[in-house]
Amino acid sequence: MSLHAPYPQGRPRRLRRDEFTRNLVRENALTTHDLIYPVFLLDGRGRREAVASMPGVERLSLDLLLPVAEQCVAHGIPVMALFPVIDPQLKTVDGQEAWNADGLVPRAVRELKTRFPGLGIMTDVALDPFTSHGQDGLLDETGYILNDETVEVLVRQALTQAEAGVDIVAPSDMMDGRIGAIRSALEGRGLIHTRIMAYSAKYASAFYGPFRDAVGSAANLGKSNKKVYQMDPGNTDEALREVAMDIAEGADMVMVKPGMPYLDVVRRVKDEFRVPTFAYQVSGEYAMLKAAAQNGWLDHDAVMMESLLAFKRAGADGVLTYFALEAARRLKA
């Protein structure tokens, strides 16, 4: 670290004296271009369902999601991430609806890219919204999640999404080797422009509860957990190994999930690899801030913006956040 003049020759408060100076020397800043907006998609028309554990978040059918996409474009949000809420009757042990070319996600992708070609669309590659057991993979006879067999169907899911026209596929399953398999399959089909944002360091976190309520997988999962494939919250060296493997296998971008409780991991990943690095401010983080603000314990807009700036300071190039539209409006104000 470089040496600085001692007090009184050095007075750090001089650079905090007024707003123009603070703006001039600010090291990190948040813009609308840093935001990815996760949304929950329902089948049908005219359907709107509030997510009780995520104040202000709704599950929307595609016709009601289109105006949300229009708002993203108007406010300069570059990417919208789709998370489907699947009819329970379509959920199976093997999650085969995940690669149905006429399923909810491919249909939505085609419509959104037709209506808003300049808006980036990202899709989740994982089986948990589609399986009757709520796990991200296929099970053996003991209930253990199979790796290689799961990767085979994840490839089919990713290809279905890419062929529908999605810009970014985002494998969130944490199976070993799935990035390489998906990249090879995309290249083999000539889908060379489809980007992969890998959920490279996804932890077996307790902060995902409201999301599982939103997509309807909580009841299917029951008392089971995902600790045999998602990462142990006590590990950070392991995160670097996971990221290194995904980069070597062809990931264009990597992600750390959850966000604020794992900012140290974001910083380590960015410092080590210098690749596009993202973080997911997950449902539990969002719900906590919303609940505290609703109770008058925190200033909503202030903590929203401060929390998002923290991701940038930690080294994230962008953030998936349910605050995206609210933050974009604040940034545009």
Side-chain angles (χ1 to χ4, degrees):
M1 186 174 183
S2 60
L3 297 177
H4 297 280
Y7 174 87
Q9 289 81 5
R11 290 181 179 267
R13 288 185 58 188
R14 278 196 289 261
L15 296 180
R16 304 174 198 145
R17 178 163 177 79
D18 45 50
E19 186 173 8
F20 84 81
T21 306
R22 292 191 296 272
N23 289 340
L24 187 68
V25 301
R26 183 170 294 125
E27 298 172 35
N28 296 282
L30 179 74
T31 75
T32 57
H33 295 162
D34 300 318
L35 304 173
I36 296 175
Y37 191 29
V39 296
F40 298 108
L41 176 66
L42 288 167
D43 213 340
R45 290 187 59 81
R47 297 183 63 195
R48 181 190 302 272
E49 299 175 356
V51 180
S53 54
M54 299 178 70
V57 172
E58 297 177 309
R59 309 176 190 94
L60 298 172
S61 54
L62 180 57
D63 58 317
L64 299 183
L65 186 62
L66 293 174
V68 177
E70 189 171 12
Q71 290 180 56
C72 288
V73 173
H75 287 87
I77 295 172
V79 179
M80 191 163 70
L82 304 182
F83 293 93
V85 183
I86 300 300
D87 185 330
Q89 295 183 351
L90 296 176
K91 296 186 179 188
T92 58
V93 172
D94 62 357
Q96 60 182 320
E97 182 65 15
W99 57 91
N100 177 5
D102 294 317
L104 176 59
V105 172
R107 284 187 279 114
V109 169
R110 288 191 288 267
E111 182 71 14
L112 285 164
K113 291 308 296 183
T114 298
R115 298 281 193 104
F116 308 101
L119 176 64
I121 302 298
M122 186 167 95
T123 46
D124 183 42
V125 179
L127 299 184
D128 53 328
F130 303 91
T131 55
S132 54
H133 44 73
Q135 294 286 1
D136 295 55
L138 306 181
L139 311 180
D140 68 10
E141 61 278 3
T142 71
Y144 184 76
I145 290 78
L146 297 165
N147 192 91
D148 296 4
E149 292 84 350
T150 297
V151 169
E152 290 181 12
V153 298
L154 292 173
V155 167
R156 296 178 68 180
Q157 182 184 20
L159 285 174
T160 299
Q161 295 171 354
E163 288 171 344
V166 76
D167 301 289
I168 305 169
V169 293
S172 66
D173 56 284
M174 288 300 287
M175 298 298 125
D176 295 338
R178 89 276 204 216
I179 300 302
I182 291 170
R183 175 57 73 205
S184 294
L186 291 171
E187 291 290 319
R189 293 283 183 91
L191 298 164
I192 63 172
H193 301 300
T194 305
R195 281 129 281 178
I196 298 177
M197 181 186 290
Y199 286 62
S200 297
K202 182 179 180 180
Y203 286 84
S205 172
F207 284 90
Y208 302 147
F211 175 91
R212 291 172 182 167
D213 292 339
V215 299
S217 65
N220 300 94
L221 189 62
K223 294 183 178 180
S224 299
N225 60 62
K226 303 187 178 186
K227 294 181 180 180
V228 299
Y229 49 100
Q230 294 179 358
M231 286 181 51
D232 187 320
N235 297 348
T236 61
D237 289 345
E238 182 185 18
L240 299 186
R241 295 195 295 272
E242 289 277 7
V243 170
M245 290 176 68
D246 285 353
I247 295 169
E249 291 176 18
D252 301 290
M253 300 164 275
V254 299
M255 188 200 300
V256 175
K257 183 182 179 183
M260 287 187 70
Y262 296 85
L263 292 181
D264 60 318
V265 182
V266 175
R267 171 48 63 193
R268 288 197 69 186
V269 168
K270 189 62 175 180
D271 286 348
E272 180 73 18
F273 299 105
R274 303 291 179 181
V275 299
T277 302
F278 292 78
Y280 199 143
Q281 186 178 45
V282 299
S283 58
E285 300 172 61
Y286 171 87
M288 288 192 304
L289 295 180
K290 279 287 185 180
Q294 286 181 346
N295 278 286
W297 300 334
L298 293 173
D299 180 321
H300 178 278
D301 286 1
V303 296
M304 171 180 70
M305 301 307 288
E306 184 178 341
S307 68
L308 294 172
L309 183 61
F311 290 106
K312 295 291 291 181
R313 193 181 65 246
D317 296 289
V319 189
L320 287 85
T321 177
Y322 304 98
F323 286 118
L325 266 178
E326 290 177 279
R329 293 186 187 108
R330 179 71 184 269
L331 289 165
K332 291 277 189 178

